[in-house]
Amino acid sequence: MNPKDVFSFSASSFDPSKVSETFRDFAEKGAAQSKEAYAKMKTAAEEATKTVETTMQTAQAGTVELGLKAIDALRTNADMSLSHMEALLGVKSVAELVELQTSFIRKQAEVTVEQAKAMQEAAKKVAETVAKPTKEAAEKVMSTFKAA
């Protein structure tokens, strides 16, 4: 076999219209896929924006709730301390002072534990509420791209 024959081809077998038609089909398919991918990305971005807005509003509401709980705890502690000071002013003996102080410390410890539990539960609730839309949106986007 002649080496020149390997690299040569018949001009009559080459049809430029078929090449351009194949190229056009390839370009059209690529453009359609790009448009579809862009539409999915645009939808995902819009949904992500909505999710962020909702999450920020939820976080803000949660922060307000935690702030109100903290204020309530401070108010309770201040009221207890003022009541204790008033009671101390009426003390008649050292034994009464020790009993009053012991009772106050025990009650203050109980209230502090209750307040800490309430704050922890509220913070957990806020965290779950804030994370839920973000988690759901991420799962939705991932499932959209997996389906593609």
Side-chain angles (χ1 to χ4, degrees):
M1 178 176 233
N2 187 350
K4 291 181 182 179
D5 291 339
V6 172
F7 294 108
S8 65
F9 63 92
S10 169
S12 63
S13 67
F14 180 72
D15 184 1
S17 66
K18 288 184 180 177
V19 171
S20 64
E21 185 178 309
T22 302
F23 181 74
R24 184 177 17 256
D25 287 345
F26 177 75
E28 287 174 359
K29 286 179 184 176
Q33 289 174 345
S34 294
K35 286 178 183 178
E36 183 180 327
Y38 172 77
K40 286 182 180 181
M41 290 296 289
K42 182 181 176 192
T43 300
E46 289 169 351
E47 289 177 5
T49 300
K50 290 176 187 174
T51 300
V52 168
E53 289 171 355
T54 302
T55 300
M56 293 303 289
Q57 290 169 353
T58 304
Q60 183 179 13
T63 302
V64 169
E65 180 183 345
L66 290 174
L68 291 173
K69 284 196 177 295
I71 289 169
D72 185 48
L74 290 171
R75 184 177 291 130
T76 300
N77 294 343
D79 289 345
M80 286 178 61
S81 294
L82 289 172
S83 295
H84 179 62
M85 289 176 148
E86 288 174 353
L88 287 176
L89 292 174
V91 169
K92 305 250 189 287
S93 68
V94 174
E96 188 180 353
L97 172 71
V98 170
E99 182 182 336
L100 192 62
Q101 189 65 20
T102 303
S103 175
F104 172 74
I105 291 172
R106 184 175 36 251
K107 181 67 176 170
Q108 188 67 40
E110 290 170 2
V111 168
T112 301
V113 168
E114 289 174 19
Q115 290 170 341
K117 284 180 183 178
M119 288 294 285
Q120 183 179 20
E121 288 173 14
K124 181 181 175 183
K125 179 182 166 190
V126 168
E128 289 171 351
T129 304
V130 167
K132 185 178 179 181
T134 304
K135 180 181 174 190
E136 289 173 352
E139 289 171 352
K140 184 177 179 181
V141 168
M142 295 309 277
S143 68
T144 301
F145 285 108
K146 285 180 183 177

